[in-house]
Amino acid sequence: MTMLELKAVNKFFNGWQAVADVDLQVAAGELAVLIGTSGSGKSTTLKMINRLIEPDSGSIRLAGEDIRSQPPEVLRRRIGYAIQSVGLFPHWTVEQNIAAVPALLKWPKARIRERVVELLELLHLPAAQYLSRYPHQLSGGQQQRVGVARALAADPEVLLMDEPFGALDPVTRGTLQQELLRIQALSGKTIVLVTHDIDEALLLGQHIVLMDKGRVVQQGRARDFLLHPANAFVRDFVGQSDVGVRLLGLDTVASRMRPQQQASGEPIAASATLREALSAFVARRVSSLPVIDAQGRPAGVLHFADLLPVAT
Amino acid sequence: MRLHSRVRLLLVLLSLAAALGLPLLTYAPNRLLTGQGIALLDLLHSGSGLRWLALLPALPLLLAPWWRPGMLRERLVYLAALWLGAALWWLAGSEATLRAGDEDALARVSFGGGFWLLQLLLLLQLAEALQVLAGGLPRRVLLLLLAQLPLLWLLLTGRLDSLSLLREYHNNQDTFDAALLRHVQLVLFSVLPALLLGGALGVWAYRSARFARLLFPVLNVLQTIPSIALFGLLIGPLAWLGRQLPGLGIAGVGLAPALLALSLYALLPVVRGTLAGLQQVPPAVREAARGMGMTPWQIMLRVETPLALPVFLSGLRITSVQAVGLAAVAALIGAGGFGAIMFQGLSASALDQVLLGVLPVLLLALLVDVLFRLLISRLKGADDHA
């Protein structure tokens, strides 16, 4: 089922075309990533979905329904929205911030409280400790967690995220990316995320849309971008010299290991990517690695040569 | 002994210079003549001869610069400054009773330069001590008010009644009370309209940069017109308006032009404060509010107003303090207030009557300032409590 559909969408700013003839489909439960350099029109495209920016022509449908069929405020309350600078209300507590949209929708107090606590637990912020804190008492990573919780609060049909992890340090960003994947798997939410970071796009995107100068240059799976780039621009963007390494990043050790074998040495997790495995081969100067599963039991062996056959 | 506080040493040296070099009081045979100075040392000789005992508890002030810093030092300085301030008032009061005590005596005892300078330096000592003693603004204000209790006691028990200033007050009590009421009216009814109109203009200027570019030059020009000139400029049009619309109480002189001019002066700072308050709301906060589905009204009431309020109130604080001072000038066009007492005193060269007009203006301005500061600190404090 298609959750989100953009057809021939155009947007001009003072005669300059920011978005040109964009066609886009996002299936329900899919995590789509819009990627491009700054000025490529990706953020503008995102903001047209919740009508922060109105398109000049074309149509946008949410769950089959034209988004202009209801007032923008009503539409926005159905759509979660998280941004890079978070934008938490500094004069409200964490609880009040997360409760913002449910309060706008006039949920009963008890239900709001329950939902806030549930979300804080989901994002690994113990409710007892964080409910009554103010945003300035949180670290950058914690603020973005609260921002994501606020966007998810009213159980929206779609979650829009505008470079949500762009301002965070690499470690915190990595953690939050993993949590986003976990939350998405858990809730089955449709998510549209904007980024300029190709690694983030390859890691998160089930459907990747590369934009340049307002146009969609290529869209599809991460693998398609690496193996079949549409043109020189795409090839440059995904990083010509790193294509091999990035391809390895798309598959896990579990998909290539030989389950019947056993070996000795420092093991690698079955859930690790082949890219991490490559790093381990080189760093440890070995040609085979024992693999363990999530419970720490031996699961098989990965040989250096196993990295080679690339699935297409 | 090591010198610990240069500031304190400077205050002490200045205090000594003021006490010994300037007359503490002045004595004149009647209210219009210029008085002869009475030095502190003369004061200590007259009377019972034990008056110097009253100054004894001030000794910690002299020693404070060399004292080890700590709570003890500040407490002693606070008490000593409080005591000495009251002692000076008491000395002045009793000397006045001595020299001009009779009800109908024409003789006048007034304050000299030394008195005011000493009181000012003592206030600085108090403020210095309160920096350490009191954490928050409310506590500091409370302690400063407590320090004025002895003066209040001296006033209420009539021990200062023979001073020229108090004589002027008793002779003009009705005028004084009327002036107080009028002065408060002038401030209130000029700041309130400016608040409403200025707030609206500020919001508009925030929404439309084009409007702001038109508005600010006009307000800036208004602000640069000297107050007396503005009062004068308004006489003509308002007198004409009064003739066209009789029965509304509009006239070229009196309350109407004063309120109009004061409101116009209050407008620029209020508009500035509103605009500055709205501008410092982070754009990300506004985008988040819009993105989550708040209506423009909800954004205004729940997000922009509370976040802009502290800056807005700071602007309003300056406006109100300024209005208290400017309202004194409004007496020139017959609007009354403490300015009337002041100008009357000036034209009669009765300096104590001038003082009777100036002091309440000063106190009123201080009061307004402190009230706003307390309000703003409360607002900011509310954010910090987890």
Side-chain angles (χ1 to χ4, degrees):
Chain A
M1 187 195 122
T2 306
M3 176 58 86
L4 203 57
E5 187 178 27
L6 283 74
K7 263 195 194 149
V9 171
N10 284 284
K11 179 68 195 177
F12 294 86
F13 290 119
N14 299 323
W16 168 70
Q17 188 155 24
V19 172
D21 278 326
V22 166
D23 287 310
L24 196 65
Q25 286 196 353
V26 181
E30 193 173 45
L31 201 167
V33 172
L34 300 181
I35 184 166
T37 51
S38 47
S40 62
K42 56 191 193 305
S43 274
T44 308
T45 305
L46 187 82
K47 285 175 184 168
M48 286 192 286
I49 297 172
N50 65 0
R51 293 183 68 185
L52 286 175
I53 296 174
E54 298 282 359
D56 292 323
S57 67
S59 80
I60 302 176
R61 292 177 168 279
L62 175 70
E65 188 182 345
D66 193 309
I67 58 168
R68 280 165 302 184
S69 63
Q70 50 190 316
E73 285 82 18
V74 177
L75 172 80
R76 287 174 197 151
R77 289 169 198 174
R78 292 169 56 195
I79 300 176
Y81 188 51
I83 53 180
Q84 176 176 358
S85 35
V86 194
L88 292 180
F89 301 133
H91 58 307
W92 285 2
T93 61
V94 166
E95 179 176 14
Q96 290 170 309
N97 265 289
I98 298 177
V101 184
L104 288 175
L105 293 168
K106 304 211 164 49
W107 285 17
K109 281 214 168 65
R111 187 176 164 210
I112 294 181
R113 183 66 184 252
E114 203 177 307
R115 179 68 179 154
V116 171
V117 171
E118 182 191 342
L119 281 166
L120 280 175
E121 301 297 341
L122 179 69
L123 284 150
H124 300 306
L125 296 169
Q129 205 178 333
Y130 287 95
L131 271 180
S132 52
R133 291 223 185 154
Y134 282 87
H136 68 89
Q137 298 168 317
L138 305 176
S139 70
Q142 289 168 338
Q143 287 186 12
Q144 193 50 275
R145 279 167 204 260
V146 175
V148 172
R150 180 173 67 173
L152 287 169
D155 210 3
E157 292 152 67
V158 176
L159 179 58
L160 305 181
M161 308 182 92
D162 196 350
E163 303 202 20
F165 311 131
L168 302 174
D169 63 85
V171 176
T172 312
R173 188 188 311 146
T175 316
L176 279 176
Q177 284 168 343
Q178 291 303 329
E179 284 193 18
L180 184 66
L181 284 174
R182 182 174 59 87
I183 290 168
Q184 206 249 350
L186 220 62
S187 63
K189 282 262 174 289
T190 310
I191 300 177
V192 183
L193 183 143
V194 162
T195 184
H196 59 252
D197 175 358
I198 183 68
D199 283 314
E200 182 165 270
L202 294 174
L203 172 71
L204 299 176
Q206 292 156 5
H207 183 77
I208 299 174
V209 181
L210 177 61
M211 293 183 70
D212 182 44
K213 301 192 182 90
R215 291 180 187 279
V216 173
V217 183
Q218 182 172 357
Q219 53 179 314
R221 297 177 306 156
R223 212 173 293 282
D224 301 333
F225 275 81
L226 294 168
L227 292 175
H228 313 293
N231 57 29
F233 174 78
V234 180
R235 206 171 301 131
D236 277 348
F237 201 90
V238 296
Q240 240 164 352
S241 56
D242 291 334
V243 167
V245 181
R246 291 199 160 119
L247 271 171
L248 289 174
L250 298 178
D251 289 309
T252 59
V253 170
S255 66
R256 300 280 179 84
M257 68 183 182
R258 305 179 192 186
Q260 298 82 18
Q261 299 186 358
Q262 286 209 343
S264 59
E266 201 179 329
I268 188 165
S271 61
T273 64
L274 292 176
R275 186 176 177 166
E276 290 167 295
L278 172 65
S279 171
F281 281 126
V282 175
R284 296 175 201 168
R285 292 175 202 156
V286 292
S287 58
S288 64
L289 285 166
V291 181
I292 52 170
D293 61 14
Q295 281 76 41
R297 293 180 304 236
V301 173
L302 183 74
H303 293 274
F304 190 73
D306 297 337
L307 296 178
L308 262 183
V310 168
T312 49
Chain B
M1 278 203 305
R2 234 185 86 220
L3 182 63
H4 282 290
S5 167
R6 283 163 203 267
V7 179
R8 284 261 157 73
L9 182 64
L10 183 70
L11 289 177
V12 166
L13 289 178
L14 283 173
S15 300
L16 285 175
L20 300 175
L22 289 170
L24 203 68
L25 301 172
T26 64
Y27 171 81
N30 67 52
R31 74 191 281 249
L32 300 182
L33 289 177
T34 310
Q36 279 180 317
I38 309 171
L40 180 65
L41 290 177
D42 302 333
L43 266 183
L44 295 182
H45 285 303
S46 72
S48 67
L50 289 173
R51 278 178 171 177
W52 58 273
L53 280 177
L55 301 183
L56 209 56
L59 212 60
L61 286 179
L62 289 178
L63 299 177
W66 291 276
W67 210 316
R68 213 160 42 81
M71 289 301 264
L72 181 68
R73 182 180 83 173
E74 305 308 327
R75 277 199 195 111
L76 276 170
V77 165
Y78 173 79
L79 288 174
L82 177 156
W83 175 280
L84 194 60
L88 287 174
W89 282 100
W90 172 77
L91 270 177
S94 63
E95 181 71 11
T97 315
L98 213 66
R99 297 209 188 201
D102 298 325
E103 265 310 302
D104 53 358
L106 288 173
R108 290 300 181 113
V109 174
S110 312
F111 300 110
F115 183 86
W116 296 120
L117 194 54
L118 273 175
Q119 290 288 2
L120 179 71
L121 291 166
L122 285 173
L123 207 63
L124 290 177
Q125 291 268 24
L126 272 183
E128 186 79 5
L130 288 181
Q131 291 269 333
V132 179
L133 285 180
L137 182 70
R139 258 181 68 103
R140 213 170 289 174
V141 170
L142 188 72
L143 283 174
L144 209 58
L145 285 180
L146 275 179
Q148 308 310 317
L149 280 183
L151 173 60
L152 192 68
W153 179 75
L154 288 172
L155 267 174
L156 290 179
T157 52
R159 282 177 165 76
L160 305 180
D161 277 353
S162 304
L163 279 164
S164 181
L165 183 66
L166 269 290
R167 287 271 186 85
E168 292 290 349
Y169 170 68
H170 286 300
N171 292 343
N172 296 296
Q173 204 164 354
D174 292 341
T175 330
F176 185 89
D177 292 347
L180 175 63
L181 183 66
R182 176 49 69 87
H183 210 95
V184 172
Q185 281 174 339
L186 280 171
V187 172
L188 217 57
F189 294 118
S190 62
V191 172
L192 271 182
L195 179 72
L196 297 177
L197 184 62
L201 289 176
V203 171
W204 193 0
Y206 175 72
R207 294 274 150 90
S208 154
R210 248 183 54 198
F211 177 68
R213 277 199 298 277
L214 285 175
L215 179 67
F216 278 100
V218 177
L219 291 178
N220 281 326
V221 167
L222 269 179
Q223 205 72 11
T224 54
I225 302 175
S227 50
I228 297 177
L230 187 59
F231 287 133
L233 283 175
L234 286 172
I235 289 178
L238 282 173
W240 178 81
L241 202 65
R243 279 196 302 278
Q244 302 301 309
L245 304 165
L248 285 182
I250 300 174
V253 293
L255 202 55
L259 286 181
L260 193 59
L262 290 175
S263 300
L264 287 178
Y265 277 120
L267 215 48
L268 177 69
V270 170
V271 176
R272 274 240 175 90
T274 311
L275 188 62
L278 287 172
Q279 276 170 342
Q280 50 92 53
V281 175
V285 168
R286 209 174 269 116
E287 190 192 339
R290 232 157 69 82
M292 71 171 55
M294 284 195 184
T295 62
W297 263 112
Q298 286 168 332
I299 296 175
M300 180 94 187
L301 289 178
R302 299 185 191 181
V303 180
E304 291 179 328
T305 306
L307 289 179
L309 208 55
V311 175
F312 171 77
L313 283 177
S314 301
L316 193 61
R317 175 176 71 85
I318 296 168
T319 311
S320 306
V321 171
Q322 177 193 283
V324 171
L326 272 178
V329 186
L332 282 177
I333 50 163
F338 286 121
I341 299 181
M342 209 170 80
F343 287 119
Q344 208 184 347
L346 274 177
S347 59
S349 355
L351 278 184
D352 286 303
Q353 199 182 356
V354 176
L355 216 54
L356 190 68
V358 171
L359 277 183
V361 172
L362 203 79
L363 290 177
L364 215 54
L366 274 176
L367 183 74
V368 169
D369 186 64
V370 165
L371 285 181
F372 270 106
R373 277 177 196 276
L374 283 175
L375 189 65
I376 294 165
S377 83
R378 256 194 79 99
L379 277 180
K380 288 199 174 140
D383 287 351
D384 293 334
H385 291 307

